[in-house]
Every structure is written in structure tokens, then in C-alpha cells.
Amino acid sequence: EPEVTQTPSHQVTQMGQEVILRCVPISNHLYFYWYRQILGQKVEFLVSFYNNEISEKSEIFDDQFSVERPDGSNFTLKIRSTKLEDSAMYFCASSEINNQHQHFGDGTRLSIL
Amino acid sequence: AQSVAQPEDQVNVAEGNPLTVKCTYSVSGNPYLFWYVQYPNRGLQFLLKYITGDNLVKGSYGFEAEFNKSQTSFHLKKPSALVSDSALYFCAVRDNTDKLIFGTGTRLQVFP
């Protein structure tokens, strides 16, 4: 079964540095998402992306965050100047159409020092 | 605002016994409801969904869930639990926007 793949599995970054988390969604999917899960807390929506633009974003997704689909396969989340509270597990997801279930990757654990 | 509640942090059940993991929701309009499972150091794996149609939905690994509109519930069930079912289970709701809203998760422990 096709999978959503995320790299790296673990990223350690100094506070204030930029970080880019990478995702390869399932190839025929059109809708892309980022979620995060702070340790011990629930999974929270960050942003959805369709047709090369953001379709919805949460209040967490402030000016420090951006997403991009630089080519036909990758979907990236950039955090410009990381803060300690950005430490979390970040999940990428994709779906074929927007009323089907979303397929999740295994996540990138981001640790900010 | 849309929300999902999973009232139990943990559910313990003996192998071979039936299990229920509870979920209630609040959403305007017709709900799209989902169950996902998370194993350690893994992402969320889709189990089943309710979009429309029959209130009893069957999913992966022998799980099923019953949509109850009057009680705004979508409890996850399995007739006979396995030790390998031990994991973290998330209920989620989606209305007419893209995003999934997750509950806080319920840890299922199945004892041999």
C-alpha cells in the first residue's frame, strides 16, 4: 500500500534556527496537511494545502511557518526561527479528495534546544 | 466550534474480551467521523470512517464503530481483543472544512 514518507525522522535544532521538514505524499493525492503533536497532548491541525495554495490554517500557523510544494512530489513545512515550544512531533498527511480519510506519515520529531 | 471528547485516558481489557473505546463529538452540520490508531514511534493509521449510510461501520483489524446521532457518539468496538491491539486510539471529526479535529486519545491495554 502506498505510504506518506517523512524525513528526517528526528531533527535537533538550536533555538532561532530555521528548520525544514520534508514529506512525500502519496502520488495521486491532491490534498496535503501538516499536524503536530506536542508530547503527551493531542494531535493539532496546522495547515491544509490544495492546488498550490493554503486552503486553511490554524492559529498555531503564524508568520514563522510556511509550506511549499517545490516540485511534483515533495511537500515541506518551514519554521523560520524556531522556539522551544515548537518541539513536537510533526505529521504530514495527504488525501485523494477532501472527503476521504487522510493518510499519515510516521512523523518527524523536532527537538529545539 | 467542532470538538471531540474521549472521556477515558486508558481502557484495560483482557485478551479475548470485547472492547469499547468511547468518543462523543460536537459539530455543526453533518459529521465526518474517523478512528485512527497510533503505535509507538509511528504515525496515525486509519481504522474506519463514517461519512453517510449505515450507522455500523466496519474497519480494519476487526474493529467497528457505531454512529449514534441522537447521542452524538461514535464508539469504537471489537468483539474479541488481541494483545496486539494495545495502542493509542484517536477519534476525529471533520465537518465541511479540510481539517481533522482529534480527541485527546485513549490508550488501550490488552492483557494476556
Side-chain angles (χ1 to χ4, degrees), chain A residues 72-91:
Chain A
S73 60
N74 291 285
F75 179 52
T76 62
L77 174 69
K78 182 193 290 186
I79 309 175
R80 288 189 187 81
S81 179
T82 50
K83 303 186 286 288
L84 292 176
E85 54 264 37
D86 293 328
S87 295
M89 195 78 165
Y90 288 80
F91 293 107

Side-chain angles (χ1 to χ4, degrees), chain B residues 34-94:
Chain B
F34 303 82
W35 276 101
Y36 284 84
V37 60
Q38 186 179 32
Y39 295 98
N41 300 315
R42 298 298 304 275
L44 299 165
Q45 293 182 35
F46 169 76
L47 280 179
L48 50 79
K49 67 185 176 190
Y50 173 83
I51 304 295
T52 187
D54 289 342
N55 290 342
L56 184 64
V57 178
K58 293 189 183 297
S60 306
Y61 314 120
F63 284 94
E64 58 188 30
E66 186 166 11
F67 171 66
N68 187 317
K69 188 172 183 178
S70 62
Q71 296 186 3
T72 61
S73 66
F74 189 57
H75 300 331
L76 181 71
K77 303 185 181 204
K78 187 173 181 181
S80 179
L82 300 172
V83 172
S84 57
D85 293 330
S86 300
L88 191 56
Y89 290 80
F90 288 96
C91 181
V93 67
R94 177 187 169 278

Side-chain angles (χ1 to χ4, degrees), chain A residues 35 55-56 98 100 102, chain B residues 36 49 94 98-100:
Chain A
Y35 292 82
S55 48
E56 188 171 359
N98 69 349
Q100 293 298 316
Q102 295 172 20
Chain B
Y36 284 84
K49 67 185 176 190
R94 177 187 169 278
D98 284 350
K99 65 180 179 286
L100 290 176

Side-chain angles (χ1 to χ4, degrees), chain A residues 3 31 33 35 37 41-45 48-49 55-56 91 98-107 109, chain B residues 4 32 34 36 38 41-46 49 51 88 90 94 96-105:
Chain A
E3 293 184 342
Y31 294 81
Y33 311 85
Y35 292 82
Q37 184 181 30
Q41 299 186 24
K42 65 180 178 181
V43 178
E44 301 173 292
F45 169 80
S48 57
F49 191 86
S55 48
E56 188 171 359
F91 293 107
N98 69 349
N99 65 352
Q100 293 298 316
H101 66 272
Q102 295 172 20
H103 298 250
F104 283 77
D106 283 343
R109 182 170 299 283
Chain B
V4 175
Y32 293 172
F34 303 82
Y36 284 84
Q38 186 179 32
N41 300 315
R42 298 298 304 275
L44 299 165
Q45 293 182 35
F46 169 76
K49 67 185 176 190
I51 304 295
L88 191 56
F90 288 96
R94 177 187 169 278
N96 58 353
T97 68
D98 284 350
K99 65 180 179 286
L100 290 176
I101 297 164
F102 287 89
T104 50

Side-chain angles (χ1 to χ4, degrees), chain A residues 37-82:
Chain A
Q37 184 181 30
I38 294 173
L39 186 63
Q41 299 186 24
K42 65 180 178 181
V43 178
E44 301 173 292
F45 169 80
L46 291 178
V47 66
S48 57
F49 191 86
Y50 169 70
N51 200 26
N52 285 320
E53 61 182 26
I54 291 173
S55 48
E56 188 171 359
K57 60 183 180 180
S58 72
E59 62 275 9
I60 301 169
F61 195 88
D62 61 21
D63 291 345
Q64 294 301 310
F65 290 84
S66 62
V67 289
E68 192 177 32
R69 188 155 163 80
D71 52 41
S73 60
N74 291 285
F75 179 52
T76 62
L77 174 69
K78 182 193 290 186
I79 309 175
R80 288 189 187 81
S81 179
T82 50

